[in-house]
Amino acid sequence: MGGIMVAKLMVIFFSAILINNFVLTRFLGICPFLGVSQQIETAIGMGLAVVFVLTLASAMTWVVQHLILVPLGLGFLQTVAFILVIAALVQLVEMVIQKVSPTLYKALGVYLPLITTNCAVLGAAVLNIREGYTLVESTVHGAAAGVGFTMAIVLFAGIRERLAYSPVPVSFKGFPIALVTAGLLSIAFLGFAGFNLGKLFGM
């Protein structure tokens, strides 16, 4: 039983990173993906902040859904409640980091407020409920979604840094070539579509 549970968690984890990558497959979180990917350093900072918030938000929204909204018959308020939870969580995380580690706050302070409007966080919370995940599965899925986001934005930032010194046609310089690159990166991740993770982990 424990082995099956671990295998299921592994499938959820790697599926959210590779097969159902939130940015390159589900097309969620595109705004920070395009806006904070000019440099690898800033991309890593944004990615780590998203991993942290996505993990906590997935757990907290599951608790709100199953312990508050469903028992009280307030399921129709799911989206509003989740947005409030995510916004409050981001503000709480920002205040805690500012008090505990001012250095880390200076590094991530620019990116933390952006996470409130990152639709990937809300998307992960809604998907957790739609897929019927447990609390542990929801938390793992949220963490994996954050890791997938980080991987995508760091890869994209690395390519954009190289493009800055490449002989790009004038009509493609700047944002146009970034969009073309993002499209090609998304197509590359389609190679993982149909990959049977369940069979790989013995399910």
Side-chain angles (χ1 to χ4, degrees), residues 36 50 66 85 98 100 108 120 123 130 153 176 179:
V36 197
V50 168
H66 289 87
V85 169
Q98 186 178 14
V100 175
L108 298 180
R130 184 179 298 174
I153 197 172
L179 291 175

Side-chain angles (χ1 to χ4, degrees), residues 41-108:
E41 184 180 353
T42 56
I44 291 174
M46 182 64 176
L48 293 176
V50 168
V51 169
F52 187 69
V53 172
L54 255 172
T55 304
L56 289 180
S58 294
M60 292 188 67
T61 51
W62 188 95
V63 171
V64 169
Q65 173 73 14
H66 289 87
L67 298 185
I68 299 177
L69 298 182
V70 172
L72 296 178
L74 299 175
F76 60 92
L77 292 175
Q78 183 190 82
T79 302
V80 175
F82 284 7
I83 290 173
L84 291 174
V85 169
I86 292 167
L89 180 60
V90 171
Q91 291 299 316
L92 178 63
V93 169
E94 191 173 356
M95 289 188 294
V96 170
I97 292 177
Q98 186 178 14
K99 292 288 185 181
V100 175
S101 177
T103 305
L104 183 61
Y105 175 77
K106 288 180 181 178
L108 298 180

Side-chain angles (χ1 to χ4, degrees), residues 14-166:
F14 287 104
S15 176
I17 295 174
L18 300 174
I19 299 173
N20 297 315
N21 187 283
F22 268 55
V23 179
L24 302 175
T25 304
R26 296 188 186 276
F27 304 110
L28 295 172
I30 297 296
C31 292
F33 176 71
L34 293 174
V36 197
S37 57
Q38 287 87 354
Q39 295 179 340
I40 291 180
E41 184 180 353
T42 56
I44 291 174
M46 182 64 176
L48 293 176
V50 168
V51 169
F52 187 69
V53 172
L54 255 172
T55 304
L56 289 180
S58 294
M60 292 188 67
T61 51
W62 188 95
V63 171
V64 169
Q65 173 73 14
H66 289 87
L67 298 185
I68 299 177
L69 298 182
V70 172
L72 296 178
L74 299 175
F76 60 92
L77 292 175
Q78 183 190 82
T79 302
V80 175
F82 284 7
I83 290 173
L84 291 174
V85 169
I86 292 167
L89 180 60
V90 171
Q91 291 299 316
L92 178 63
V93 169
E94 191 173 356
M95 289 188 294
V96 170
I97 292 177
Q98 186 178 14
K99 292 288 185 181
V100 175
S101 177
T103 305
L104 183 61
Y105 175 77
K106 288 180 181 178
L108 298 180
V110 178
Y111 313 118
L112 283 174
L114 292 175
I115 300 173
T116 305
T117 57
N118 189 344
C119 58
V121 183
L122 179 61
V126 173
L127 281 169
N128 289 334
I129 305 303
R130 184 179 298 174
E131 295 294 331
Y133 289 151
T134 63
L135 176 59
V136 174
E137 290 169 351
S138 297
T139 306
V140 169
H141 181 250
V147 171
F149 176 89
T150 303
M151 182 178 67
I153 197 172
V154 170
L155 283 173
F156 189 47
I159 296 172
R160 290 186 72 177
E161 280 191 356
R162 295 180 72 89
L163 284 173
Y165 301 100
S166 301

